[in-house]
């Protein structure tokens, strides 16, 4: 199965709010800790559901299953398991 027909990868955007508002869901699947998850905050500010890797500063931005859904970083099986949720 090819992913291209199921997922859109979005490059850098000058006005990300327009992009977030057009999406159904935002997945922040970082495999390395980040000091601050700007993508997560921007998506949440636009009222979008977020799935995010629970690592680094990003893990402090939300409460799992309350503000967003958290997954272990670098665990594609955990991320895939959410598709049936």
């Amino acid at each position: 199965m090819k992913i291209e027909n199921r997922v859109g990868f979005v490059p850098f955007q000058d006005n990300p709010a327009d992009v977030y508002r057009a999406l159904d869901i935002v997945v922040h699947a970082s495999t390395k800790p980040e000091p601050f998850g700007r993508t997560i905050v921007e998506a949440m500010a636009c009222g979008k559901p977020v799935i995010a890797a629970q690592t680094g500063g990003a893990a402090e931005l939300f409460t799992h299953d309350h503000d967003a859904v958290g997954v272990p970083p670098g665990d594609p099986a955990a991320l895939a398991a959410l598709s049936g949720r």
Side-chain angles (χ1 to χ4, degrees):
M1 174 181 359
K2 294 195 175 209
I3 196 169
E4 293 88 5
N5 296 331
R6 301 176 185 275
V7 176
F9 293 98
V10 181
F12 178 81
Q13 300 291 308
D14 288 327
N15 190 1
D18 291 340
V19 176
Y20 291 124
R21 289 185 185 108
L23 298 174
D24 294 321
I25 190 168
V26 176
V27 177
H28 183 267
S30 181
T31 58
K32 296 181 181 177
E34 297 183 20
F36 184 78
R38 183 175 177 171
T39 298
I40 297 166
V41 173
E42 290 173 340
M44 291 172 74
C46 290
K48 293 300 168 176
V50 174
I51 297 172
Q54 290 179 289
T55 185
E60 299 176 15
L61 296 175
F62 63 93
T63 301
H64 174 66
D65 278 344
H66 179 73
D67 306 306
V69 176
V71 294
D75 188 346
L79 189 58
L82 294 175
S83 65
R85 234 176 142 179

